[in-house]
Amino acid sequence: MSLDKLLTEIQSYIDDPDIELVKEAYYYAKKVHRGQDRVSGEPFVTHPLRVARIMAELKLDLTSISAALLHDTVEDTEATLEDIREKFGSEIEVLVNGVTKLNKINFESKEEHQAESLRKMFLAMAKDIRVVLIKLADRLHNMRTLNYLREEKRKQKATETIEIYAPLAHRLGISQLKWELEDLSFRYLEPEKYKELSNKVAKNREEREAYIERINRQLNEKLGEVGIEAEIYGRPKHLYSIYQKMVNKNKRFDEIYDLTALRVIVDTVKECYEVLGIIHDLWSPMPGRIKDYVAMPKSNMYQSLHTTVVTSQGETLEIQIRTWEMHRTAEYGIAAHWRYKDGKPQDENFEKKISWLRQLLEWQRDLTDAKEFMETLKIDLFEDEVFAFTPQGDVVSLPKDATPIDFAYNIHTEVGHNCIGAKANGNMVPLEYRVQNGDIIEILTNSNSGPSRDWLDFVQTSRAKSKIKRWFKHQRKEEVAAKGKEMLQKELKKRNINIKEEEKESKLKEIAPELGVSNLEGLYSAIGYDKVSIEKVIHELEPATKEQEEKTPQSELQELRKKHQIKKDQSANQGVKVKGMDDLLVRIAKCCNPVPGDEIGGYITRGRGVSIHRTDCPNFEELEDKEPERIIDVEWYVDKDNSYQVELEVKALDKHSLLNDVTKAISEEGVNITEVDARTSDDSIAHINLGIHISSLDHMNKIIDKLEAIDGVLKVRRANPS
């Protein structure tokens, strides 16, 4: 493979391409990969060059091809994303960064790591679908050179390819990539069966080709009589599809008659249906084997008419009929609709055509268990489709064995939540009913009803499952909050404490952050879960005297000055002062823990001085809206001995000595750790919350940088204000 061959391929479908961009990307990749070899012994640069050639064969734009040439530079060399942006622009940088992130986590070990990597891929796909096209091309070339790896590695790569990447190519409609990925995986997973099947197929090839040629002539003559121009050719079935048919239908090889299918390509949709009629005049169609994917395209945009006929020789023959535009889509899928013009896909319906991807992103955010994520992903990628209709005639695409509940959630979340029954073709059916092709489904609803947990036992779509689970999670949260509110009301009544509802809620919102929760509902939930003592809440709710109610915020400030009379150096120890008042009690709010460098504001509390918040703290923003008269200007008053509590959140791959590495890095900075909360989620990702004392915002950022440099650490951030 040479650069010249790549350029020739590009020039075959792009008029006056910017060849210099591609050349520059190639020579840069060659320079930074210098000295690196693949396992085969070839220079490493041959890999990105061949990946770029696959992208060109999909007839993609120059940006995609250039990014393919550069896709391993940041991952495997000293090159940085800044270098890529500076030399090739931000668009190519985004694509390279997307592919680099996919490989950041090694998913060749645990299922959890694989799940995390795939989550990253779907997020990258959402920003630019070309990221996954580069990834598929990269995987295809790696599969073509898989024989250089040891057997264990070959099987692992082949399994991953046939379970994830081939189905993903199918969902994107790229049959060119799908078939080759499947056959290569089959070759390494079942080498003996692959070899045996390959020999059997080759044995009768000449006889089948002669048979197809005879059928071709017969059909061409008939089409010529009615003036229809068509390209007709035989399409040999791929080995893996033959093997699947043998396994799924429990048949021997000599019982598989349709080893070759006939494909007819015409100019118009009208001609597609005319050709179908002519074929059925020539040969007898098999009942139940006529499929119209022209009127009802598959979710991966595939369109064709399918029919299976019995020829005059008594053999079955599968025939596909499509237009040239349908053919391009069938071969290149989503890539056929990614022709860049002014930075946007030319196809106006592009977003609709990848709606399944949006749904995939929606449900995968709700799945934290890696095993469930992988199982559900495989179901979604492999799904066979059925087409049903709404009573208004709209087509709804669903996976095989989907139920009316899946149908309802496909229409709208609330339709799913409120479903109480369903009709298929005018007849009542149970909610467990399996929707059939052509069914007209009517959903019966009641706005006062909700999902049943039993639904989770039979619904098929990830969308329905995630919506049902989310509903129950929300209901549980509401139930506990209602319980907590009721507990508080009963205790207040028991103690004969009368307080206006509005005043009570205002006071509760004020004290919530001090009790470790972010809002009123959170406080009620904490009471319901027995995480916050009712006694403590009631103590804070003691009704104010009429004299205090009549006080203004400013008069309260003056009284506080007399009451607390703190020295200036004591006030400075808090690090903050009220502008114009050096001797006033101030308190750092625990809900957001501001540090020097943060923008801050003050709130005059009732009897407890001025609480200092970050101005982006949700609690402070709410106080600003509801009691603007109690907001006061404050400023930092810092000296070198001050320290401030902050909380950091560390996300990392779970590994031996991780916590030790994190605490050691912090200790080396001379920083005191006040609290540590470490846990590992089901996907083997470690989450560590650290309370530390720092001197300023710059000091905190320095510690974050040091933590992010630890091997295995994925992300470090300051905890968001409650």
Side-chain angles (χ1 to χ4, degrees), residues 71-319:
H71 79 273
D72 274 331
T73 54
V74 175
E75 188 69 30
D76 295 327
T77 77
E78 296 300 315
T80 66
L81 286 171
E82 289 73 22
D83 295 335
I84 300 299
R85 182 174 64 249
E86 184 179 327
K87 293 177 182 297
F88 302 99
S90 58
E91 191 177 353
I92 289 178
E93 178 215 359
V94 167
L95 294 177
V96 173
N97 187 30
V99 181
T100 301
K101 285 181 178 178
L102 301 184
N103 295 325
K104 187 172 182 179
I105 298 177
N106 179 12
F107 49 71
E108 297 170 0
S109 52
K110 296 181 180 179
E111 187 177 49
E112 289 80 4
H113 293 175
Q114 183 189 37
E116 187 67 18
S117 179
L118 289 167
R119 287 182 201 272
K120 288 174 178 279
M121 181 165 71
F122 293 128
L123 290 173
M125 285 166 66
K127 294 176 183 175
D128 195 322
I129 198 74
R130 293 175 297 176
V131 168
V132 79
L133 298 179
I134 296 172
K135 184 61 180 176
L136 287 171
D138 171 61
R139 176 53 61 113
L140 178 56
H141 182 248
N142 282 331
M143 289 298 295
R144 287 173 177 174
T145 56
L146 207 58
N147 59 302
Y148 293 104
L149 301 182
R150 65 183 188 275
E151 184 178 358
E152 180 187 351
K153 197 77 165 177
R154 289 200 299 264
K155 286 190 178 294
Q156 184 270 322
K157 286 284 186 186
T159 299
E160 187 178 77
T161 299
I162 209 158
E163 288 185 348
I164 302 298
Y165 291 101
L168 186 54
H170 171 67
R171 290 304 302 267
L172 293 170
I174 314 173
S175 62
Q176 257 196 12
L177 301 187
K178 180 217 174 190
W179 292 118
E180 190 175 355
L181 288 171
E182 284 182 340
D183 278 0
L184 287 168
S185 299
F186 178 37
R187 175 183 174 185
Y188 291 105
L189 289 173
E190 300 283 357
E192 294 301 322
K193 291 176 182 176
Y194 177 89
K195 186 176 180 180
E196 179 186 357
L197 195 56
S198 180
N199 290 336
K200 286 180 177 179
V201 169
K203 189 175 180 181
N204 299 318
R205 179 172 292 136
E206 289 185 9
E207 184 180 331
R208 285 198 310 276
E209 287 176 353
Y211 165 67
I212 289 296
E213 180 61 31
R214 189 165 61 252
I215 294 291
N216 192 330
R217 283 197 303 270
Q218 284 182 262
L219 183 55
N220 250 320
E221 286 176 12
K222 285 292 181 182
L223 296 181
E225 289 173 10
V226 294
I228 294 178
E229 291 186 6
E231 181 168 321
I232 307 171
Y233 60 91
R235 179 186 62 83
K237 289 215 167 188
H238 294 266
L239 293 178
Y240 184 67
S241 66
I242 298 171
Y243 174 69
Q244 275 188 311
K245 182 170 282 190
M246 291 169 63
V247 171
N248 295 337
K249 297 188 176 182
N250 195 24
K251 289 188 174 184
R252 301 188 310 274
F253 176 77
D254 55 15
E255 294 178 301
I256 305 294
Y257 299 109
D258 53 345
L259 295 178
T260 304
L262 200 68
R263 184 171 287 158
V264 183
I265 306 176
V266 293
D267 292 326
T268 67
V269 173
K270 180 174 177 286
E271 287 176 339
C272 287
Y273 289 98
E274 289 174 351
V275 170
L276 181 65
I278 291 168
I279 288 171
H280 288 172
D281 279 341
L282 268 174
W283 305 294
S284 302
M286 292 183 68
R289 298 292 296 273
I290 303 170
K291 297 176 182 177
D292 187 347
Y293 295 120
V294 173
M296 292 186 292
K298 291 187 176 185
S299 60
N300 65 1
M301 303 171 293
Y302 177 87
Q303 286 183 288
S304 285
L305 295 176
H306 287 199
T307 185
T308 301
V309 298
V310 180
T311 68
S312 52
Q313 285 79 23
E315 295 182 309
T316 60
L317 177 66
E318 181 185 299
I319 303 175

Side-chain angles (χ1 to χ4, degrees), residues 390-578:
T390 67
Q392 292 74 37
D394 296 324
V395 180
V396 176
S397 171
L398 295 167
K400 184 182 178 183
D401 293 332
T403 67
I405 297 294
D406 297 293
F407 184 96
Y409 278 104
N410 188 286
I411 300 299
H412 193 276
T413 300
E414 289 306 312
V415 175
H417 286 343
N418 300 149
C419 177
I420 58 171
K423 291 181 178 181
N425 308 314
N427 300 314
M428 289 297 297
V429 293
L431 294 179
E432 297 95 328
Y433 171 77
R434 303 302 180 186
V435 177
Q436 304 298 308
N437 261 319
D439 279 351
I440 299 173
I441 303 294
E442 181 182 352
I443 301 298
L444 310 178
T445 61
N446 184 324
S447 58
N448 295 320
S449 69
S452 165
R453 288 193 183 275
D454 294 339
W455 293 359
L456 293 170
D457 295 333
F458 56 80
V459 293
Q460 297 296 308
T461 59
S462 304
R463 176 184 176 86
K465 287 178 182 176
S466 67
K467 294 294 183 184
I468 294 166
K469 288 177 180 178
R470 188 183 296 177
W471 188 87
F472 278 108
K473 184 178 179 181
H474 183 70
Q475 288 297 112
R476 173 65 179 154
K477 189 175 179 181
E478 287 187 345
E479 288 170 9
V480 174
K483 176 188 171 185
K485 185 175 182 179
E486 184 181 354
M487 289 167 62
L488 181 60
Q489 296 279 39
K490 283 183 178 179
E491 194 62 29
L492 289 171
K493 188 175 181 180
K494 181 179 176 183
R495 301 188 187 198
N496 293 318
I497 298 175
N498 297 313
I499 183 169
K500 291 180 180 178
E501 185 67 19
E502 186 177 335
E503 183 184 345
K504 181 187 73 175
E505 290 199 351
S506 176
K507 184 72 173 176
L508 288 172
K509 287 177 183 177
E510 181 184 328
I511 66 173
E514 297 177 18
L515 296 173
V517 290
S518 59
N519 53 38
L520 182 59
E521 185 181 0
L523 181 56
Y524 285 142
S525 293
I527 295 170
Y529 281 119
D530 292 327
K531 290 183 178 179
V532 170
S533 161
I534 288 185
E535 189 68 39
K536 191 169 186 178
V537 174
I538 290 179
H539 176 73
E540 297 288 348
L541 276 178
E542 291 294 342
T545 63
K546 185 176 180 182
E547 180 184 353
Q548 177 150 353
E549 286 177 355
E550 292 174 353
K551 290 178 183 176
T552 66
Q554 293 303 319
S555 67
E556 289 180 37
L557 275 181
Q558 295 304 323
E559 186 172 315
L560 281 168
R561 294 180 73 181
K562 293 176 185 177
K563 191 173 181 180
H564 296 286
Q565 285 302 316
I566 359 176
K567 296 178 182 178
K568 288 186 180 181
D569 62 314
Q570 289 176 318
S571 179
N573 284 337
Q574 287 291 327
V576 182
K577 67 177 181 179
V578 177

